[in-house]
Amino acid sequence: MLTAFSSLYWQHAPQIFLQETLSKKYLIANVIRGFSVTSIPIMLLLLGYFMTRIRKIGIFQAWGFLVIGTWCCLLVVCFLQDSTWIGHFYNALFPFLRNTSPLFSGILLAILTNKIVAERLMNNRYAYYIFFFITFGVPTIFGKDIFNYNGGTTALYAWMVFTLGANLPDSELPKKAWYFLTSVSAIVLAIMLVIMPLISEGTHGDLSTATRLTDAANLFTMLFSFYLVSLLLPLRLNRVQLFSLLGSVLFSASSFLIEALNTANEKATWGIRYLELFEAILVSLVIWSVVHIYVKSKFFIKLSKLDKMLDSWHLADLENNIKLTLVKTKRSLRSHKLMLIVSGVMLVLSYISMVVTNVGGRVADTIEGDKSYNALTYAILQRPQIIVINALLFVGLYLFLRGLTNSFWVSFLISDYLIVIWCIATYLKIASRREPILPSEVVMLGAYRNLLNMVPHWLLLLGVASLVILLIVIFWLSWKVKVKKLSLKTRIKYVMIPTVIVCSSFFWNHDDFILKKPMKMLGIDPTFYNQLNGAQINGPTLQFLNNLDFVIMKRPEGYSKTKVEEIVTKYRIRANELNKTRTNDLSKQTIIFNLSESFSDPNHVKATKLKGDPIPYIHQLMNETTSGYMISSGFGGGTANIEYITMTGLPLANFSPTLSTPYTQLVSTHNYNPSIVNYFSNAVAIHPYVGNFYSRPKAYENLGFNDFIYLGSKTKIKHQEKIQNNPYLSDKVAYANTLDVINENKANGQFINLVTMQNHMPYNKAYYSDNTKFEVEEAVGLNDEIREQINNFATGIHYTDKYVAEFIERLEAIDKPITLVFYGDHLPGMYANDMTKDGLNLHETDYFIYSNKVAREQGARTNLMKTRYISPNDFPAMVAETTNSKVSPYYALLTNIYQSLPAFYIGTESNDTSVRNVEYVTEDEKIVNEQNLTEEQKELLSDLRIIQYDITAGKNYVKDTDFMKIQSSDGDE
């Protein structure tokens, strides 16, 4: 307990040690600290004595406890924090190679070498005392850490102290003498701990050397520890107590666990020192419990046999013993050769399955576009644990078939064939559409036809021929090489294990799933926003399973068909009221939703100031028309989520946290996706970039778009120009292609969803020859890197400002009623502001709604009633009101939401991971929670949630009603 408490306590240096002047409190604190660190040498001496003399514990038993103990620490850490470095698992297995548990490594080395040291170096008490003085007296006297003890934290230190404990000379002194020596050494240590700060202040004028003796490696600490241990030797510690001491040593060196505990303690309201005391007691109890389980386990017994074998080894017989061990190893390998063959082949296939996700020989083809890896080395060097996990899934397929067929050759070769087909299909799908195979495609009959259409005819013939040859080989091997049949019990086990694993994938994306954090700790990241990248970092098999299930939305209270019909009737009446004063038909308007990538004014970010205004035209336009700030649900990313919200009117705030990307998880797999697109006979999406991200082609198709124009689409991006060294097509290009689409459309109305790319990250590249015109003067944490990013971004949006002016000038000249909704999807993730303080400000992007001359002549409005802070789901209702267009009952609901409900804001994460932490922003920028809403506002929110649930996760009751249909004021459609 003392060791655990000291390890936690001294991680946070008390305020007294931070002062620059000497005081009585400082001297007392230094003495207390000096005595507390003696726990480590005392334990090492006791362990050395008892483990090698009284109750021998071998190196394999100690190493096994290191592995078990470290993994227990990791389990605690993974529940304390969101992620943990996977390398800690390797560290436990290879402590010497990784040097992450130096004290434990020193103990293992001391156990291994003690026999030789005892015979050659410490064969009498005088040699022992000379060794003791040289190892600790010389460094202390001369003040030089010649043995690199580093205050008692290195492997060499642990080896020295453990070896001293293992070779303690037999005592000839009476017990009273040991009491006397222990007392004297304690007094001397206390005096030295007081004198050193005085010497430091007197010699140096400061406290720079005040703690020279306040560590576990000086002579005075070691003398006190030596005498105290000599006094305690009659105790005769048992095996459980010894392993408990080993556990305390392990905990004291587990910096990652101590850091995680202290981080958790800082967030607690209870005093941190009280928590540390409680944790010290708890750690001791946990160690004691783990030790009891460990020493009674079969694993411990097997390790004991290895230690006994090692004890019988002598240097003279080393060669013969190694040869004998090799013979036994070969015999063991032969007895398990079939499973080793299966495992080896599955590891190779797992590696291949990850390699085939490459694009042009590179992987991690991320949105950033500035980092990628060699396809052949990435998986092995960056994701070895994922190769193993995917290989285990492939082994699961073999086990399943083995359990069904009870034939080794059938199950092994058929599983290999299926995996190879899976790899080829994955490669072809990625080569064709830059996206892996998803569950939504497998369950659709048309998916198989599409997949086969991708396959060259010669490859199909090769596949059929290979299958025929494979069946012949299976028949021949089954007849020629007999493999023992499995028992019924084993077959059932083989079938059940992979079945349970696959079924568990239906819960992987649930935040309350017990293995959620361990999976994240292993590096499994679904990356739903970019399925290709997800397949590259997880492997296509894991990524496929990740997409099997997720929670769309929590069922709202009161949801039923009757309640839905009641809401439909309620807003049908409201729609009729609104339509009495509206004269236009939305379907005959040309509506443009222009998502301008990362567009936002840096001058609006708190504590950020540029030396000029990079967007003067847009600011002028915002003063003349409907404008304000849109509360984004993302920061630095989440583009497709904002698109979805703006077109459907369904806020991300109401969805479950497991639905991170509606396009890929919801729209691309659902047949019913009502949106603003449905009100137009012609709808086109334009994105001057590659189109594979967020499953846009499938999502746009299911939303009802007639065409999606992107780099690589059938309808070409006609205009392709870039600004200087910027790799993305400019906003000028985006608007030129949009004008083409408008002019080519002969229908009365049209909807266009334009997503630009010009201002996409990264911002630290030399894209522009001069980026100092709007140079940043102030910003939080301003340094050269942040300065460069803000300057580049400001230059980029200045170009956008210019191109928007040109675009609007062209729209003014078109003889069609056109309304443009211009908005930024999120702020660029380059600001160093504190999200807890400036979170709302970092989610505010600029927007405006502009109507051209023809639209204004037809009654379009330029100043709506509530515009300063809005949600992206408000845009459909705002467009209908701006164009003075009639609405459907659904848009009547959205109109009430827009006019009466504050803007949605997804704040910091809540303790309840089943729902998002949603707050609301009023027109005067006040943040309120749901409890502070009025009863009318709560009723509106409830109505929206019920409709949203019905559309996305419920029974689609509204589908068979007129809820989505626009009616005239007299009720006719």
Side-chain angles (χ1 to χ4, degrees), residues 812-942:
E812 277 289 307
I814 296 176
D815 189 24
K816 290 181 182 180
I818 303 174
T819 295
L820 169 68
V821 178
F822 176 95
Y823 65 97
D825 55 339
H826 54 73
L827 272 75
M830 62 189 179
Y831 300 105
N833 298 58
D834 186 349
M835 189 62 73
T836 58
K837 295 179 180 178
D838 302 334
L840 175 59
N841 179 250
L842 293 175
H843 287 81
E844 296 174 353
T845 69
D846 304 77
Y847 86 92
F848 67 80
I849 301 177
Y850 157 82
S851 295
N852 72 347
K853 179 182 178 181
V854 176
R856 294 194 300 272
E857 289 174 350
Q858 293 182 4
R861 303 171 185 175
T862 59
N863 191 9
L864 304 186
M865 59 177 290
K866 184 174 88 67
T867 63
R868 189 181 180 197
Y869 293 102
I870 59 101
S871 304
N873 55 284
D874 291 330
F875 283 145
M878 294 177 74
V879 162
E881 186 173 356
T882 297
T883 59
N884 197 30
S885 297
K886 298 181 185 298
V887 296
S888 63
Y890 178 47
Y891 274 28
L893 167 60
L894 293 183
T895 300
N896 281 12
I897 292 289
Y898 152 64
Q899 292 178 348
S900 303
L901 197 67
F904 290 92
Y905 168 50
I906 301 177
T908 56
E909 291 300 320
S910 65
N911 294 327
D912 183 4
T913 56
S914 64
V915 295
R916 298 181 191 273
N917 183 22
V918 181
E919 296 172 305
Y920 302 86
V921 184
T922 64
E923 279 288 271
D924 55 355
E925 204 178 4
K926 293 288 192 303
I927 297 178
V928 298
N929 55 39
E930 188 171 335
Q931 286 70 33
N932 297 128
L933 298 178
T934 66
E935 291 303 315
E936 179 188 358
Q937 290 170 332
K938 289 179 181 178
E939 183 178 346
L940 273 173
L941 188 58
S942 175

Side-chain angles (χ1 to χ4, degrees), residues 265-286:
N265 291 344
E266 289 172 353
K267 299 177 182 178
T269 55
W270 202 22
I272 188 170
R273 302 306 182 188
Y274 295 108
L275 278 171
E276 288 170 347
L277 181 60
F278 170 76
E279 287 163 355
I281 298 171
L282 186 62
V283 164
S284 301
L285 293 174
V286 170

Side-chain angles (χ1 to χ4, degrees), residues 119-133:
E119 294 174 356
R120 305 292 175 86
L121 188 59
M122 297 186 183
N123 48 10
N124 61 67
R125 70 176 59 218
Y126 297 105
Y128 180 91
Y129 293 138
I130 292 171
F131 180 81
F132 187 101
F133 180 77

